[in-house]
Amino acid sequence: MLKPLLLLCAAAAGAGWYAALPPRAAPLPPAPAGLTQPVRGAIHVHSNRSDGTGDLDAIAAAAAEAGLQFIVFTDHGDATRKPDAFRYRSGVLCIDAVEISTEHGHLVVLGLPQSPYPLGGEARDVLEDAARLGGFVIAAHPESAKPELQWTSWDSTLAGLEWLNADSEWRDETGWTLTRAMLSYPGRPTESLASLLDRPVSALDRWDALTRTRRIVGIAGSDAHARIGFRSLGEPYDAGSSLHIPSYQQVFRLFSNALPGTALTGDAAVDGLAVIAAIRAGHVYSTVDALGGPAAMSFTATSGTATAAGGDVLPLSGPIALRIELQAPADAQVAVIKDGSVLETRTGALVELTEPAAPGVYRVEVTLPAAPGDPAIPWIVSNPIYAGRDPAEPPPAPRPRATSFAELYKDGPAAGWVVETSPASVARIDEIKAVGGLQLSLRYGVGGAASAGPFAAFVMPAGPELQKFTQLTFVGRADKPTRVSVQLRSPAGPEGERWHRSVYLDPEPREVTVYFDEMTPRGPTSQPQPNLASVQAVLLVLDTINTPLGGNGTLWIDDVRYAR
Ligand SMILES: [Zn+2]
Ligand SMILES: [Zn+2]
């Protein structure tokens, strides 16, 4: 008597559970003639080389199952690991990139070679190093609910941002939505993950604001780890967590990045470069495949004889004809966004409209009526077409040339200079002959336990003239690419106060200028910029932010002076 009742209860509960599952993705009508399926892939994927749970082969196999053609791996690192060559695994093109932690958030960097020293520290320095090394830099999870994971250096020369980051979307959710998604995950995993997505308003607003002044590429970052994602831990994840939810395959089925202009040849070396070039150019749109797909879109704008696609600059020579063609259900809503505001929303799979010949930034968001989220997550998001924009980015305005100087060191003995090091590090100053007199050779070795904060520093007296000046200049070179922290130190407070600006040196001698108003605190200080009245020492510091532990080398320094 009891048994059938239990079975009945279980069946009723099961039916209720089934009825409560999120709806399946809608089937799409056939693609319009001429619209082909783009190459699709996942960007921002962690393997067990950092805090992911899968190895490269297993992750590639999961991507193949999900119908993707490429993966961009972004294990946490400082870019000193030599990246793997482009390679096909399970038919999926694998691109080895890196996620770098800076003091202003995380960066996903594609196309970097092995860096000669660790990349880290301030965002502006990592961006400068990545640009010198030829990398393409994307702000990861820029608007994460976790403040320490947000990107906070928007004034710098970022090349891209994640308008969508899956990990941020899980972190946003609490309470019933999350519980329901966890309950329905075993039955309909991809749709359950999709039910957690909302339109990431602040990231999209940020993107729109940035595109008003420069080109910046938007992508959807999977941030896939296959670790329990429904939690509020920091990043990297702690290794104790072993529940592999959501799985790589389900995250890969959730959304992807489509490269409409790219064709793969099967030659990994060629295809890897082509995929990175397409992302760099902004020839990419994102699709939330869990809502319907695989989606295909063509977005172009024509003015006179010139035609541009998403990511491109369109030179203006007449009215702008915008054309959006989709493989989409008839009730898809196509919003054309101009300069961050919705210009027009139309329904259907073909949208054509004409705009006057005036500068503007146009992008497209396509939404399906049944989409989850509040506000609803868009189904397709294009990159912008920059109409009437100068294709060359305006260079930053140069600071005026200095006209007044005070000498700190030139051609003589290093009067008053001393070295300071952590216990297991070494430093030595020598005067050596150079063209036109003497210069200083500064030799260092940085060693010891990373936890002890190893450093080697060359310290010169600041002298009484400092307060009258605005910058420090010197001629410097290094035996190899090196990043040196130039610091001003005041004895104020129990530990002293320091402000710094890091500079790049290599075997090519160059004049380096450090502006005092660009310096930032190292450790606690009483004010954000150097207190010049109390500064007593100028330091050149090598530490493990940008010097490998166990690394050593030589700097050559001459003509140290204050300027204004
Ligand atoms: Zn991150
Ligand atoms: Zn990540």
Side-chain angles (χ1 to χ4, degrees):
M1 184 66 198
L2 198 59
K3 244 183 184 172
L5 192 64
L6 273 176
L7 279 174
L8 202 63
C9 287
W17 173 78
Y18 187 82
L21 288 180
R24 282 199 192 283
L28 298 183
L35 188 62
T36 52
Q37 271 295 324
V39 166
R40 296 186 307 127
I43 303 173
H44 194 162
V45 178
H46 295 275
S47 78
N48 58 7
R49 292 206 284 207
S50 63
D51 58 352
T53 55
D55 64 27
L56 305 182
D57 283 323
I59 297 168
E65 281 289 316
L68 301 186
Q69 283 94 57
F70 73 89
I71 309 175
V72 178
F73 287 105
T74 56
D75 279 305
H76 297 280
D78 59 15
T80 55
R81 176 177 67 79
K82 187 173 192 286
D84 295 341
F86 303 126
R87 181 176 157 188
Y88 275 95
R89 298 172 192 265
S90 301
V92 174
L93 174 66
C94 293
I95 294 172
D96 190 16
V98 63
E99 181 172 8
I100 300 174
S101 298
T102 80
E103 292 171 14
H104 301 92
H106 293 186
L107 291 172
V108 161
V109 193
L110 282 66
L112 272 187
Q114 181 174 24
S115 172
Y117 55 84
L119 303 190
E122 294 185 86
R124 58 187 177 184
D125 300 328
V126 176
L127 288 164
E128 182 192 297
D129 288 338
R132 183 186 316 104
L133 293 165
F136 182 76
V137 185
I138 298 167
H141 41 77
E143 304 283 338
S144 171
K146 281 285 245 202
E148 66 270 29
L149 295 181
Q150 290 168 0
W151 182 255
T152 58
S153 185
W154 292 106
D155 50 340
S156 15
T157 52
L158 264 184
L161 59 71
E162 290 179 343
W163 73 265
L164 179 64
N165 176 284
D167 202 60
S168 297
E169 294 282 331
W170 320 148
R171 284 175 202 272
D172 273 358
E173 295 297 342
T174 50
W176 172 232
T177 313
L178 196 59
T179 310
R180 199 173 49 194
M182 287 192 79
L183 289 174
S184 63
Y185 181 86
R188 212 162 275 172
T190 310
E191 291 82 354
S192 301
L193 294 180
S195 75
L196 296 175
L197 301 179
D198 300 295
R199 186 177 183 272
V201 174
S202 54
L204 287 165
D205 285 351
R206 177 80 71 176
W207 187 21
D208 284 330
L210 292 168
T211 58
R212 301 296 297 278
T213 57
R214 60 189 167 95
R215 288 184 63 248
I216 182 159
V217 174
I219 60 110
S222 300
D223 215 350
H225 301 78
R227 278 194 196 278
I228 183 142
F230 308 120
R231 51 48 220 111
S232 58
L233 300 175
E235 188 189 352
Y237 293 86
D238 78 75
S241 160
S242 61
L243 199 49
H244 295 187
I245 294 175
S247 73
Y248 284 106
Q249 191 186 138
Q250 296 311 332
V251 175
F252 294 155
R253 287 186 187 280
L254 182 60
F255 60 72
S256 61
N257 293 281
L259 312 179
T262 303
L264 299 180
T265 65
D267 178 342
V270 172
D271 295 346
L273 292 176
V275 166
I276 292 175
I279 295 169
R280 207 181 267 273
H283 295 164
V284 49
Y285 60 87
S286 314
T287 62
V288 180
D289 307 305
L291 305 182
M297 175 175 75
S298 155
F299 169 40
T300 56
T302 302
S303 175
T305 56
T307 295
D312 289 340
V313 169
L314 176 70
L316 290 181
S317 56
I320 303 166
L322 296 160
R323 185 174 193 278
I324 301 125
E325 191 172 27
L326 300 158
Q327 181 178 10
D331 57 359
Q333 291 173 342
V334 181
V336 177
I337 295 165
K338 180 187 181 188
D339 296 333
S341 304
V342 175
L343 176 70
E344 200 157 328
T345 302
R346 302 248 190 110
T347 303
L350 178 65
V351 172
E352 291 178 294
L353 56 114
T354 302
E355 278 283 289
V361 180
Y362 296 90
R363 64 178 186 85
V364 174
E365 284 186 26
V366 184
T367 307
L368 297 177
D374 181 19
I377 181 78
W379 176 43
I380 306 177
V381 172
S382 79
N383 259 274
I385 292 175
Y386 303 83
R389 177 71 59 79
D390 188 343
E393 303 289 335
R399 298 185 67 138
R401 283 190 74 83
T403 52
S404 176
F405 301 91
E407 206 163 88
L408 273 178
Y409 170 82
K410 187 180 174 70
D411 291 342
W417 286 55
V418 295
V419 298
E420 295 176 14
T421 69
S422 54
S425 299
V426 292
R428 184 189 158 100
I429 303 174
D430 293 294
E431 295 122 25
I432 60 161
K433 283 208 174 69
V435 180
L438 294 177
Q439 61 177 215
L440 298 181
S441 147
L442 311 179
R443 285 186 284 167
Y444 64 89
V446 175
S451 56
F455 72 93
F458 303 94
V459 185
M460 72 191 100
E465 298 272 78
L466 171 62
Q467 282 186 74
K468 299 183 208 151
F469 292 92
T470 56
Q471 56 207 266
L472 176 81
T473 74
F474 60 92
V475 176
R477 67 187 168 96
D479 59 339
K480 55 181 170 290
T482 306
R483 190 167 268 286
V484 184
S485 169
V486 179
Q487 304 189 356
L488 297 182
R489 185 170 68 189
S490 150
E495 306 258 318
E497 297 186 340
R498 290 177 297 132
W499 295 265
H500 105 137
R501 178 77 169 100
S502 111
V503 301
Y504 172 78
L505 297 177
D506 65 17
E508 190 67 33
R510 66 166 60 81
E511 186 177 69
V512 174
T513 300
V514 174
Y515 295 94
F516 300 147
D517 63 5
E518 292 182 357
M519 295 183 117
T520 54
R522 292 287 92 176
T525 57
S526 53
Q527 56 186 65
Q529 290 191 350
N531 178 2
L532 298 180
S534 73
V535 166
Q536 293 192 353
V538 179
L539 292 78
L540 302 178
V541 181
L542 297 124
D543 60 29
T544 50
I545 294 173
N546 297 116
T547 305
L549 195 59
N552 59 71
T554 307
L555 315 177
W556 292 272
I557 302 290
D558 204 355
D559 295 339
V560 185
R561 49 190 188 163
Y562 295 131
R564 70 167 178 257

